[in-house]
Amino acid sequence: MDVNFREALAILYRALSVVLFRAGIFAAGGFSIIIVFGMLLFALRVAGGASTLVVVVVASSAVLGLAVSGVGLQRFFLFRYRVAMLLLFSGRALPISGLAGAIRESGSLFRNHSQWQALNLTLRRALLFPS
């Protein structure tokens, strides 16, 4: 693949909106984890030793809730943005230019997360065990 610097910048510019969107989602998730652990530290300082078990149970349920919401977000929402990012990086001609066209095309290629996951599994197996 012979891509010069100008073409690489053009490809990066086309996909920049999707990359920044995904980075913003992950940064928000990181900040929410920091907030949960800050709440845990604050509650441990305020509660003292008597109700430490309650604080640990509440904090662990909050972290579990964040993990479940992150998996749900990836499953129902972010995989389309990953497909759109790959489409925009590939330089494929889309019927509608930009992010809207890439998201619409990703919806036509992959109806749900399980199709995307099955293709990823097939691709990983092909890359691990080339024939």
Side-chain angles (χ1 to χ4, degrees):
M1 184 163 128
D2 294 327
V3 178
N4 62 22
F5 186 70
R6 182 181 299 157
E7 290 172 344
L9 281 179
I11 290 170
L12 184 62
Y13 178 72
R14 258 195 316 250
L16 187 62
S17 60
V18 184
V19 172
L20 288 178
F21 184 80
R22 283 183 59 87
I25 293 282
F26 289 132
F31 282 127
S32 64
I33 289 173
I34 290 171
I35 289 170
V36 165
F37 283 116
M39 289 168 40
L40 172 66
L41 289 174
F42 179 74
L44 280 174
R45 296 267 182 180
V46 170
S51 60
T52 304
L53 180 64
V54 173
V55 171
V56 169
V57 168
V58 168
S60 62
S61 64
V63 170
L64 184 64
L66 280 174
V68 168
S69 65
V71 168
L73 188 68
Q74 178 68 31
R75 186 172 194 78
F76 296 114
F77 184 63
L78 283 180
F79 84 95
R80 290 203 192 280
Y81 276 85
R82 184 180 292 177
V83 175
M85 183 170 49
L86 291 173
L87 283 173
L88 289 171
F89 272 122
S90 71
R92 180 177 171 183
L94 298 172
I96 301 172
S97 65
L99 179 60
I103 290 175
R104 184 177 292 168
E105 187 74 15
S106 71
S108 67
L109 289 173
F110 301 103
R111 300 271 181 232
N112 53 26
H113 184 261
S114 59
Q115 285 182 339
W116 169 251
Q117 203 170 21
L119 183 69
N120 276 341
L121 183 64
T122 306
L123 180 64
R124 286 185 182 135
R125 285 181 182 160
L127 291 176
L128 282 176
F129 305 110
S131 53

